[in-house]
Amino acid sequence: MKSILGKLQPLGRALMLPIAVLPIAGLLLRLGQPDLLDIAFVSAAGDAIFSHLGLLFAIGVATGFARDGNGAACLAGVVCFLVATEASKVLLSVPPETTAGLTGPSADLAIAAWKAKAIARLDVPTGIISGLVGGLFYNRFSTIKLPEYLAFFGGRRFVPIVSGLAGLVLAVLIGTGFATIAGGIDQLSYGIAASGGAGLFLFGLLNRLLLVTGLHHLLNNIVWFVMGDYHGTTGDLRRFFAGDPTAGAFMAGFFPVMMFGLPAACLAMYHAALPERRKAIGGMLFSLALTSALTGVTEPIEFSFMFLAPVLYAVHAVLTGVSMALMNALGVKLGFGFSAGLLDYVLNFNRATKPLLLIPVGAVYFALYYGLFRFFIAKFDLKTPGREPVEAGAPTAVAAGERGAAFARALGGAANLTEVGACTTRLRLNVRDQQAVDDAALKALGARGLIRPSNTALQVVLGPIADVVAVEIRDALAAGGVAVAAAPVAEPVDDAPVALSPAVLKMLGGAANVREASVHPGRVRVALASGTVDEAALRNLGVRAVARPADGTLHLLVADTAALTA
């Protein structure tokens, strides 16, 4: 099970990059509409993003899956997406009634419009698949070597080419199987709609339970971008902004929880804290509550009690499901471009159905969360913030510009990190050895919680600063010198420049391609003039993995560094 979760982690992370543009899309779309500023070109700008989400997913997912986020992977994802969508249109069977009574150019326009609308129903799934192709093919083929007369097309240039061929295969599957695929989506939509409150309860429950692994994004993408159809626009979120009066059921239930429930939980945890520790945790809980109420970012709150008091998280997950069913029963339809916070509520108030009902429901949820949290904390002596045992040491103060290096050291140093990424609120990492990670040091640096989906995957919950911290960690790794104290080893450890063996130089593109090489614990750091590297041959020489913290920089992870030096 852990291996499956570990393989799905990159997808959950990659999906967040295109989703991150939705707030500006929703903002532009709403501000430009007649009931607000009535500026048509501003509204059209926002609609352009919603209309091309498939392309954005192709780019974003490819970036997230490529080992170094190189632009060649993005280009490959775009090529695959364009080939798949445009070529599949040729294979579609157009219903005869589409051109009934039309001839000549009118019939051609009707056919083209029908095909464009049909393919648009599948743009997000097609974009995700195209992004996977671009990212995975980049990891597989970016170092491929072709015969001398085809050398120009080798390496990274080969990736978009082979991705285009994969797009043709995808086009055949979509074009010839469109009726079956569309029918399956329709049946899924009808089934979810027919399930009514039970389906909404299950969605809310699973959404919170899957949050622990970061895989709730997969569930959200099906509901928000694929389910349902309103004049060619699919997904609960996109249909809401397109004016579908039935859309919003899969978003409305989050508002009582995020704007009222979780802030009340923060208040309950503050009052339940030991008197001598309330002052210490009060500022933290207030900031978390305000962030949740205003923006709908809730993970920092949830991870503050998820592991300290799992029973409270189970209560929270159930209440989220109940809120989804309750808001639907009351006929409330609310939507958001980012999350269920006050900012999105105010911005989309005029487009919502029965938005004022949120106030009484929210008041009930505030009281419910506060009462239940206080009861369970006292009844079972749950160790929520301010009640847990005091750990030795204080929060670590890090000098400006040193935060990335401090995190890297807490994560086991450069030799332990094979991949560094982030989503909205958490670092998403791959490490060689989980035992080398210093949990206490990470918490002292501000981590709200740590999740280990597999033996090598690690997530560190930080809140909205996660992406900035990930960049700082990568910069620190690229600068070199990020290592942790280790037990003495037999091999000499020296960070001075060294000469690589002829065999290694050959695998790295020749001596002229190597600008600098230095030895560090468990790895050899190499600076290259270009990215041409034969990774398969390096592994035959004993290299266990190749990390790429930045363009032009490689870390060759090896047990015996002497095996790579002259």
Side-chain angles (χ1 to χ4, degrees), residues 213-237:
T213 63
L215 300 181
H216 57 303
H217 300 307
L218 305 181
L219 178 65
N220 293 343
N221 271 262
I222 295 173
V223 173
W224 290 345
F225 303 119
V226 178
M227 191 194 78
D229 188 347
Y230 179 72
H231 302 312
T233 300
T234 59
D236 197 54
L237 189 151

Side-chain angles (χ1 to χ4, degrees), residues 408 411-418 430-433 436 477 482-484 520-524 544-545 547 555-558:
L411 291 166
N416 196 44
L417 288 165
T418 60
N430 276 327
V431 298
R432 294 174 61 199
D433 182 8
L477 294 176
V482 179
V484 295
H520 304 268
R523 65 190 169 99
V524 175
R544 288 186 284 190
H555 290 182
L556 307 180
L557 307 182
V558 61

